């Protein structure tokens, strides 16, 4: 790991927003590969934060400041990840499901999709099933992308799929799900059309869903 990559990793771990932004910019200015910064520096730091939380070394405030530093770093990285095409690949309504405030992964998925010329309607986090339904209805979206990071909120994906069915919209839209606790098996069980374990594979999944 280069020194700068290590600095980015530790500035996120310690929740130092300003330093994270500066180090990410410095690395980019030096020609670093954005996906290496993202995966080996930033996402690796968030994974470690989660591990420390599980072990009782970190608490919610530490997770929160680390998440803020991560979001700040992502803001700097975004223009390098998103090089939007002209022709739209499709319309995606995205959100983190009801009860769940984790939005970093969902934001990354949105960024990568945007970079592949998808139009994004980002509903944010803690999104009520009816809000997804309304957005699909209003925008005539091609895909609904739902994220969940908690085992307790994963079932709200199924509730949302049921709400789309009840509104008569399920046949008009593909449903894609993701988030750390999810699996392909779970996606199949709740009747989603696609699952991806990370943001770059989310793009491939979205494309294949629309090609199908
Ligand atoms: C940061 C963080 C927080 C922050 C969130 C800030 C924010 N704005 O997002 C804060 C401090 C608010 C938080 C709160 C809580 N958290 Co928290 N948090 C995390 C942490 C450390 C990192 C999550 C993250 O951002 N990862 C980085 C991103 C890039 O990864 P990702 O989200 O998995 O996304 C990738 C893929 O999953 C996929 N993906 C994601 N979404 C989608 C969607 C689609 C459609 C597709 C295709 C793919 C896809 O692509 C993404 C990019 O590659 C995780 C630990 C972990 N390792 O996941 C715990 C973790 C998720 N939290 C946990 C817990 C317990 C909580 C709290 C309940 C703690 C508490 N006691 O209050 C609360 C719940 C609050 C709520 N109601 O949501 C547990 C969950 C345990 C469980 N099994 O349910 C974890 C796993 C920590 C742990 N190891 O115990 N948390």
């Amino acid at each position: 790991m280069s020194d700068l990559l290590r600095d980015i990793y530790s500035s996120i771990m310690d929740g130092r927003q300003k330093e994270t932004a500066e180090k990410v910019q410095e690395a980019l200015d030096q020609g670093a590969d954005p996906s290496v910064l993202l995966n080996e520096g930033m996402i690796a730091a968030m994974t470690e934060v989660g591990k420390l939380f599980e072990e009782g070394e970190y608490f919610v405030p530490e997770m929160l400041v680390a998440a803020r530093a991560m979001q700040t770093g992502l803001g700097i990285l975004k223009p390098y990840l998103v090089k939007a095409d002209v022709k739209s690949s499709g319309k995606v309504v995205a959100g983190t499901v009801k009860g769940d405030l984790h939005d970093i992964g969902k934001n990354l998925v949105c960024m990568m999709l945007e970079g592949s010329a998808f139009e994004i309607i980002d509903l944010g986090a803690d999104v009520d099933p009816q809000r997804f339904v309304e957005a699909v209805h209003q925008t005539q979206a091609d895909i609904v992308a739902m994220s969940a990071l908690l085992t307790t909120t994963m079932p709200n994906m199924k509730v949302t799929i049921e709400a789309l069915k009840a509104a008569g919209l399920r046949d008009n839209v593909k449903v894609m799900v993701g988030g750390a606790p999810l699996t392909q098996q779970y996606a199949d069980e709740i009747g989603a059309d696609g699952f991806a374990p990370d943001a770059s594979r989310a793009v491939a999944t979205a494309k294949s869903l629309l090609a199908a």
Side-chain angles (χ1 to χ4, degrees), residues 43 46-47 49-50 53-54 60 63-64 67 70-71 99-106 108-109 145-147 149-152 176-180 195-199 202:
I43 292 184
M46 291 312 289
T47 305
V49 168
F53 176 77
E54 214 168 313
V60 173
M63 266 206 299
L64 197 56
M70 172 84 177
Q71 305 266 32
D100 199 323
L101 301 174
H102 297 85
D103 65 356
I104 295 174
K106 183 267 300 164
L108 253 176
V109 168
M146 283 187 273
S147 181
L149 264 284
L150 298 171
T151 44
T152 49
M176 187 165 97
V177 293
F195 160 78
D198 58 50

Side-chain angles (χ1 to χ4, degrees), residues 16-212:
R16 294 193 297 267
Q17 277 187 67
K18 190 162 167 277
E19 188 183 322
T20 304
E22 284 165 4
K23 295 293 175 186
V24 170
Q25 190 61 61
E26 199 178 329
L28 289 167
D29 292 345
Q30 290 181 15
D33 180 344
S35 65
V36 171
L37 297 183
L38 176 65
N39 293 310
E40 293 175 27
M42 301 165 72
I43 292 184
M46 291 312 289
T47 305
E48 183 61 17
V49 168
K51 192 166 153 268
L52 292 176
F53 176 77
E54 214 168 313
E55 290 166 357
E57 296 262 337
Y58 266 28
F59 298 95
V60 173
E62 285 90 351
M63 266 206 299
L64 197 56
V65 288
R68 289 203 185 121
M70 172 84 177
Q71 305 266 32
T72 307
L74 281 179
I76 307 281
L77 208 57
K78 184 173 176 181
Y80 295 79
L81 294 173
V82 178
K83 292 194 196 76
D85 231 307
V86 200
K87 193 177 159 293
S88 169
S89 309
K91 230 182 250 178
V92 181
V93 162
T96 304
V97 294
K98 188 166 176 54
D100 199 323
L101 301 174
H102 297 85
D103 65 356
I104 295 174
K106 183 267 300 164
N107 292 347
L108 253 176
V109 168
C110 289
M111 268 183 212
M112 301 296 266
L113 286 171
E114 211 181 312
S116 291
F118 282 91
E119 271 177 74
I120 309 296
I121 300 106
D122 185 354
L123 304 180
D126 189 16
V127 180
D128 192 89
Q130 279 310 323
R131 180 77 194 90
F132 276 109
V133 170
E134 280 160 25
V136 170
H137 182 67
Q138 282 163 7
T139 64
Q140 304 287 306
D142 304 291
I143 297 180
V144 174
M146 283 187 273
S147 181
L149 264 284
L150 298 171
T151 44
T152 49
T153 58
M154 282 162 58
N156 288 333
M157 292 180 154
K158 184 159 195 273
V159 176
T160 305
I161 292 175
E162 294 302 328
L164 286 168
K165 274 189 199 158
L169 292 169
R170 180 66 185 96
D171 293 338
N172 309 349
V173 74
K174 300 285 182 187
V175 175
M176 187 165 97
V177 293
L182 267 92
T183 58
Q184 180 66 58
Q185 193 193 338
Y186 187 79
D188 294 340
E189 275 168 25
I190 62 171
D193 302 303
F195 160 78
D198 58 50
S200 51
R201 277 175 282 184
V203 173
T205 303
K207 286 186 172 163
S208 71
L209 285 177
L210 295 190

